[in-house]
Amino acid sequence: MKKIIATHNKMFHADEITAIALLKLFTSDDYEIERVDHNTLEFDKYDFVIDIGQKYDGLKYFDHHQYKGGKSSAGLIWEYLGVENQYEKISKLVDLVDMNDVGIAKSKEFEYSSLIKCYNNENLYSQEQDIQFTKALDFAINILSSKKRFHDSSLEAEKIIANSTFFEKNSKIIELDSFTPHWRMYINGQNMPNVKAVVWEDVLENNWKVNITSKFIGSFELTHIPLKQDFNMEFVHKSGHFAIANNKESLIKYLNSQIK
């Protein structure tokens, strides 16, 4: 279904950009966006009126200037969508947008809200400004969709971990049921201190890979001594955290000498 959004023209900010991006990302509707003057009074033809209109009702009108709860239009649309408790990382980003827009905490130079502001053209009345609005919206959608994909795939990763087994009955090594880049969220020195490595078969590259686990999420510290160089391996990273074997048999032999 096609719906029409009204928002203000001239300079745009992270709040209305993010609000529209959230609608496009979390609903199945197609949207047409019209940027109108701040003094516009007639909004009958619009389905959403965002950051303009001098009215807030939580259904169609989302002018946060009429809302006294510390949220911008981004936060109000996020609340309208009703999934704020499911997507923690997006909620944190929306909170930062809200705090910057309502004057609680100014966005730093290279933070999300400041980067969106950089898309504004010097001539706010030019056609180029409308083009820049679209570019900023695409930027926001890319950031938010990345956060959404991360969340959705991390839920799938939890299922993969549950179906994984010990590699060749070695309780210190887990073999992934299938590869997921999010295994580190569930297998690390804090969550599984006895597990020192994770292995998986890379079907596309026709090889086997091994990664030493980290002490905690986001850490470069390893739970085990680094893997050593071995001419029988296809590749061993110089840091010793990662290695590639041409086949499973080579990997078994290698890991038998590395992790006991």
Side-chain angles (χ1 to χ4, degrees):
M1 180 182 296
K2 186 174 183 178
K3 294 186 177 181
I4 307 176
I5 296 173
T7 190
H8 62 82
N9 59 5
K10 300 179 184 177
M11 180 172 283
F12 52 80
H13 306 91
D15 65 321
E16 73 268 23
I17 289 285
T18 303
I20 295 170
L22 289 169
L23 283 173
K24 291 173 73 69
L25 189 59
F26 283 91
T27 69
S28 59
D29 297 316
D30 292 326
Y31 291 98
E32 178 183 334
I33 303 164
E34 292 188 12
R35 303 179 68 231
V36 301
D37 290 335
H38 279 277
N39 59 4
T40 300
L41 299 176
E42 180 56 59
F43 294 102
D44 287 348
K45 75 172 184 176
Y46 299 105
D47 298 284
F48 292 96
V49 183
I50 296 176
D51 205 32
I52 195 174
Q54 301 181 16
K55 185 177 179 180
Y56 166 73
D57 63 6
L59 296 173
K60 172 178 176 175
Y61 293 91
F62 294 88
D63 187 351
H64 70 94
H65 304 98
Q66 316 307 316
Y67 179 86
K68 305 302 180 183
K71 292 184 179 182
S72 70
S73 56
L76 295 178
I77 286 292
W78 191 226
E79 182 178 64
Y80 162 82
L81 290 168
V83 292
E84 65 269 24
N85 293 328
Q86 299 177 37
Y87 293 89
E88 180 181 357
K89 291 183 181 295
I90 294 180
S91 290
K92 288 181 178 179
L93 182 59
V94 172
D95 285 343
L96 291 175
V97 174
D98 287 347
M99 289 190 292
N100 174 72
D101 198 81
V102 303
I104 296 175
K106 185 175 179 60
S107 174
K108 296 179 181 178
E109 184 176 3
F110 296 108
E111 290 181 343
Y112 173 81
S113 292
S114 296
L115 293 176
I116 286 181
K117 188 176 180 180
C118 291
Y119 279 90
N120 280 280
N121 187 262
E122 291 183 2
N123 186 348
L124 301 180
Y125 298 91
S126 66
Q127 183 179 1
E128 179 65 24
Q129 176 68 348
D130 290 329
I131 295 173
Q132 290 301 105
F133 177 91
T134 301
K135 290 180 179 180
L137 180 58
D138 288 341
F139 171 79
I141 290 172
N142 284 331
I143 297 296
L144 293 167
S145 61
S146 175
K147 298 294 184 184
K148 184 178 185 297
R149 286 195 306 272
F150 181 91
H151 172 85
D152 294 342
S153 58
S154 66
L155 294 180
E156 181 63 27
E158 190 172 11
K159 298 177 183 178
I160 291 173
I161 300 302
N163 291 327
S164 298
T165 57
F166 291 127
F167 182 66
E168 295 299 302
K169 299 181 180 180
N170 187 335
S171 61
K172 293 183 179 180
I173 308 173
I174 285 182
E175 178 182 344
L176 297 178
D177 181 58
S178 60
F179 178 70
T180 168
H182 304 298
W183 63 262
R184 295 172 180 81
M185 295 177 59
Y186 304 96
I187 307 176
N188 54 67
Q190 290 179 312
N191 294 352
M192 297 185 182
N194 295 326
V195 175
K196 305 304 177 183
V198 171
V199 305
W200 65 91
E201 181 181 11
D202 191 323
V203 178
L204 293 177
E205 295 188 4
N206 193 30
N207 56 31
W208 282 75
K209 295 181 169 68
V210 55
N211 218 125
I212 300 297
T213 58
S214 60
K215 289 188 175 181
F216 52 88
I217 297 175
S219 171
F220 289 112
E221 293 185 83
L222 304 179
T223 61
H224 190 270
I225 59 174
L227 298 170
K228 297 179 180 179
Q229 297 294 326
D230 189 310
F231 69 89
N232 292 310
M233 296 292 286
E234 181 180 334
F235 172 79
V236 179
H237 196 281
K238 64 179 181 180
S239 70
H241 79 284
F242 174 72
I244 303 174
N246 287 317
N247 51 62
K248 186 175 183 179
E249 290 70 27
S250 296
L251 184 63
I252 292 172
K253 183 178 180 180
Y254 177 68
L255 292 180
N256 281 341
S257 68
Q258 299 288 317
I259 302 175
K260 300 179 181 178

